[in-house]
Amino acid sequence: MYTPRFRIIGLFFLSLFSVTATLAQFSPANNSHLNFSSVCFEFQWVDQVVNYELKLTEESSGITTVYPTQANKYIVNELIFGESYTWQVIGKNRQKKEIYRSEKRFFTIDEHFKTGKKFVRFREVTNNSLTRGSELVILDYAGVAINHDEEMVWYLPDLPFITPNSALRDLKLTDDGTFLAIIDSNAYEFDLTGKILWKAPNDGAVSHQGKEDYHHDLQKLPSGNYMVLGNEKQRRVLAGLKDTSRYEIGTIIEYDPSGKVVWQWHAKDFFTDNLLKLRKKEDGEYNLATHLNAFNVEGNTIYAGFRDANWVLKIDKSSKKVVEIYGGHDSGLPNHYGKELFRFQHDATVLSNGSMAVINNDSIKDPAVVSSLVVFSLGENDTPKGKELFRFKFDYDSLCNGKSLKLGNIEELTNGNYLVNMGAIHRIFEVTPKGEIAWDIFVEKLDTFKRVWRFFPQYRIATATSLYPNEFAAKWTPKKVKGEQLAGSLTLFNVGSEKNRYSVLAQLENGSWTALSEIPSVEPGQSRTTVIMIPKKYVNSTGVARLKMQVVGKSLF
């Protein structure tokens, strides 16, 4: 499910007679080298200009394409890797007369070993353009984003701290148009070009063991905070045993943007000796591994998936208590639902209707068992908790045996379909709620030594409607009013790929911000103009008011 979030895009300083906006930078900058084929062009607003023309020239062919826009941002898709471009902006007034012409700027979309056919390939099985989704698909182990025609849109550039042996996991795009990833047990946020914007401290403040050992799942929350999984090593004598047991058990950590720990949860506080001793290995020894590998935040609730314990736990964030358990073997505890519904699962995705989806890797040693996508009730719409709502087995054709030992996840698409990463099977497919395959590919990587194509399973895939899901532009036109009140018309241009609504905030004398006006939903590619009246109390002693515009999130759900 989607939760509204805020982010600053526009910032305006208003006086009685004029407006000064924070000047937009020209982007892409001159002589830039880009690692993505979908480019958001941005340029400065120009007085008296009502229509802009973005002129984009392909260097190799000399072909120029003109894109008309009223906003100071415009997104062009499907540019070519390895191609260079020149761009220029023309501004025209209401009489359609040219009154502005920018200097020409140059950029290149760099070719890379990931963009050709010598790194990764996609063997297409099904591609039904009528029933499949349109989202981009981000593959974490490959470090790329592709569209549903298997065309490269973005690749993770070469960064100094990434080596050929680095472990890259959980690569995903945030609502802010930035990427998150766990790389070599460190957690990062970076922009499209790979510039690091945030890094988790990994200082052992939670584990008290020197580092946190981040793993599996990293998310940016609606508050702007970050939540990530960690580990801590345990060494103790379990009840009824003589020898010391050594095992690793998970933590969930929330950081604010400064890197301060604002919330933490320790699995060791829930897994009592009796719960740890419920499972045994083949040699008869207790299996103390729980293997926390996923979480999902829904308001004050956190769902945490433990693969080796075979459970998804529902945690009340305020009390840190486990209030419900789903799946796996009987825990002997109350509020345990959907017993035996899944085993050795990956992911714990809460869907838009309130149900949950997991990859049921299951016990693949059993010849009668195959892995599957399982959707089950969390009690939504008075449906019994733990009730199976949908199951799609992975042996749906003869191209694989349907047994995925590990890895895998699910993404719910905007059309209601499920995009499924089969994990170890190195296959990704999209299935409708009726069980019909809409898109289906195998992912393979070139073995450069033996020159053969190998299976290339992904730990996690992610989706995004574009590289710029919530991008917008804002234009302020001051209006004269009587007295000392400020007023103007604010035009919001939704240039991103998500339907959004917006909030206008005014800054108080003490530096805090207060809501001034709400702008209703604007469809992608559309604009909305609103008259804003600014009360005198928001005008400071120098006659200036300060406003900012913020996205209020994915309002279409």
Side-chain angles (χ1 to χ4, degrees):
M1 296 178 69
Y2 300 102
T3 306
R5 63 177 298 119
F6 293 86
R7 70 188 183 111
I8 300 173
I9 295 294
L11 186 60
F12 292 82
F13 302 91
L14 313 178
S15 70
L16 290 176
F17 306 106
S18 64
V19 55
T20 301
T22 52
L23 293 179
Q25 299 297 315
F26 281 86
S27 179
N30 197 27
N31 297 316
S32 293
H33 289 264
L34 307 182
N35 53 299
F36 41 91
S37 62
S38 177
V39 178
C40 180
F41 294 87
E42 183 175 4
F43 43 90
Q44 296 178 359
W45 294 106
V46 180
D47 288 341
Q48 305 303 317
V49 170
V50 295
N51 291 293
Y52 298 90
E53 292 179 352
L54 169 64
K55 298 181 68 175
L56 183 63
T57 301
E58 185 180 284
E59 288 292 294
S60 64
S61 66
I63 296 174
T64 297
T65 305
V66 178
Y67 301 94
T69 177
Q70 292 183 321
N72 72 330
K73 293 181 182 178
Y74 193 90
I75 296 170
V76 180
N77 297 310
E78 298 183 356
L79 297 181
I80 302 171
F81 286 101
E83 182 62 75
S84 296
Y85 297 86
T86 299
W87 69 290
Q88 185 180 38
V89 176
I90 308 298
K92 296 182 178 182
N93 61 15
R94 295 188 183 279
Q95 290 73 42
K96 300 182 180 180
K97 179 182 178 180
E98 180 183 319
I99 60 173
Y100 171 76
R101 179 178 290 261
S102 74
E103 66 180 42
K104 292 183 179 181
R105 288 173 168 80
F106 178 86
F107 69 93
T108 298
I109 302 179
D110 286 341
E111 187 69 81
H112 191 271
F113 75 89
K114 292 181 178 179
T115 63
K117 301 295 184 181
K118 297 180 180 180
F119 167 64
V120 60
R121 73 177 184 183
F122 309 100
R123 287 200 296 114
E124 186 178 275
V125 179
T126 302
N127 193 338
N128 188 331
S129 61
L130 298 179
T131 59
R132 66 164 170 79
S134 59
E135 285 87 343
L136 302 180
V137 182
I138 303 164
L139 294 80
D140 61 354
Y141 285 175
V144 301
I146 63 172
N147 59 28
H148 267 64
D149 290 318
E150 299 95 46
E151 297 167 331
M152 201 79 68
V153 176
W154 173 91
Y155 64 85
L156 180 64
D158 298 327
L159 301 175
F161 57 88
I162 298 181
T163 71
N165 296 321
S166 287
L168 170 65
R169 176 173 280 192
D170 195 33
L171 180 67
K172 63 185 66 164
L173 192 74
T174 72
D175 286 346
D176 295 332
T178 61
F179 278 94
L180 300 177
I182 297 174
I183 305 172
D184 296 332
S185 298
N186 284 297
Y188 297 92
E189 180 183 23
F190 47 88
D191 67 13
L192 295 181
T193 68
K195 178 183 177 182
I196 300 300
L197 304 175
W198 183 84
K199 180 182 178 182
N202 203 9
D203 55 5
V206 173
S207 69
H208 302 292
Q209 295 171 356
K211 63 178 183 177
E212 307 298 353
D213 189 23
Y214 304 124
H215 62 94
H216 285 93
D217 206 345
L218 167 66
Q219 298 179 27
K220 192 171 186 179
L221 305 181
S223 63
N225 289 349
Y226 304 83
M227 188 170 283
V228 64
L229 301 182
N231 271 324
E232 54 189 348
K233 295 178 173 59
Q234 295 293 294
R235 180 178 178 179
R236 62 193 180 93
V237 178
L238 300 181
L241 301 182
K242 295 181 180 180
D243 297 330
T244 298
S245 297
R246 296 175 177 84
Y247 59 97
E248 197 170 61
I249 197 162
T251 59
I252 307 176
I253 310 168
E254 181 179 350
Y255 294 101
D256 69 13
S258 73
K260 177 183 176 182
V261 176
V262 296
W263 187 85
Q264 57 185 283
W265 184 83
H266 298 256
K268 66 182 181 182
D269 296 333
F270 169 74
F271 283 95
T272 63
D273 290 4
N274 287 338
L275 291 178
L276 288 172
K277 291 159 60 179
L278 284 177
R279 295 170 296 108
K280 289 187 176 182
K281 302 177 184 177
E282 293 181 355
D283 60 6
E285 295 289 327
Y286 288 115
N287 183 359
L288 306 182
T290 55
H291 198 91
L292 173 61
N293 66 9
F295 70 92
N296 193 288
V297 182
E298 291 294 309
N300 195 49
T301 296
I302 296 176
Y303 292 94
F306 290 81
R307 185 196 71 183
D308 290 3
N310 305 298
W311 296 332
V312 172
L313 307 182
K314 180 180 179 180
I315 303 166
D316 176 77
K317 191 178 180 185
S318 298
S319 66
K320 300 186 180 181
K321 300 294 185 182
V322 173
V323 295
E324 292 175 356
I325 305 174
Y326 291 88
H329 304 308
D330 188 3
S331 64
L333 298 176
N335 299 324
H336 189 160
Y337 305 99
K339 298 172 187 176
E340 308 299 337
L341 189 61
F342 51 80
R343 292 181 292 175
F344 304 111
Q345 80 285 350
H346 280 75
D347 211 355
T349 296
V350 178
L351 305 175
S352 58
N353 65 3
S355 60
M356 176 169 282
V358 299
I359 295 296
N360 176 32
N361 297 87
D362 216 320
S363 178
I364 66 168
K365 293 182 179 180
D366 184 342
V369 170
V370 296
S371 304
S372 57
L373 160 66
V374 175
V375 178
F376 61 94
S377 170
L378 296 176
E380 70 283 355
N381 301 320
D382 296 324
T383 306
K385 293 180 179 180
K387 179 182 178 181
E388 181 179 313
L389 303 177
F390 180 74
R391 182 182 294 264
F392 190 83
K393 294 184 177 181
F394 287 179
D395 61 345
Y396 56 90
D397 63 16
S398 61
L399 299 180
C400 67
N401 63 11
K403 292 177 176 289
S404 178
L405 174 64
K406 56 185 179 179
L407 316 179
N409 72 300
I410 314 100
E411 290 282 325
E412 182 182 23
L413 303 183
T414 54
N415 64 4
N417 291 352
Y418 306 114
L419 186 67
V420 179
N421 168 28
M422 296 173 71
I425 297 179
H426 77 289
R427 192 174 187 178
I428 301 169
F429 69 89
E430 180 182 337
V431 61
T432 71
K434 294 182 179 181
E436 300 168 347
I437 297 295
W439 188 65
D440 193 353
I441 61 171
F442 284 92
V443 184
E444 298 175 340
K445 181 179 181 180
L446 181 64
D447 182 332
T448 56
F449 292 100
K450 296 188 177 181
R451 309 302 300 176
V452 295
W453 290 95
R454 306 287 191 188
F455 297 167
F456 196 14
Q458 307 296 302
Y459 172 71
R460 190 187 299 274
I461 60 171
T463 60
T465 50
S466 76
L467 294 181
Y468 311 95
N470 298 310
E471 200 67 53
F472 70 87
K475 183 178 182 180
W476 174 267
T477 304
K479 292 181 177 294
K480 292 183 179 180
V481 295
K482 293 181 179 180
E484 296 182 349
Q485 191 176 39
L486 297 181
S489 60
L490 178 66
T491 303
L492 266 294
F493 301 87
N494 186 349
V495 298
S497 53
E498 302 280 348
K499 179 181 178 182
N500 276 312
R501 56 191 177 93
Y502 306 88
S503 181
V504 183
L505 294 91
Q507 189 173 43
L508 304 178
E509 286 280 4
N510 63 8
S512 63
W513 295 90
T514 184
L516 183 64
S517 179
E518 293 289 328
I519 297 177
S521 295
V522 182
E523 296 283 351
Q526 301 298 312
S527 65
R528 185 184 293 270
T529 299
T530 303
V531 175
I532 304 293
M533 304 295 292
I534 306 171
K536 183 179 178 181
K537 63 181 178 179
Y538 298 135
V539 181
N540 64 25
S541 57
T542 62
V544 174
R546 198 176 186 209
L547 299 185
K548 67 180 179 182
M549 274 56 67
Q550 296 179 323
V551 172
V552 187
K554 299 172 182 277
S555 58
L556 70 166
F557 286 97

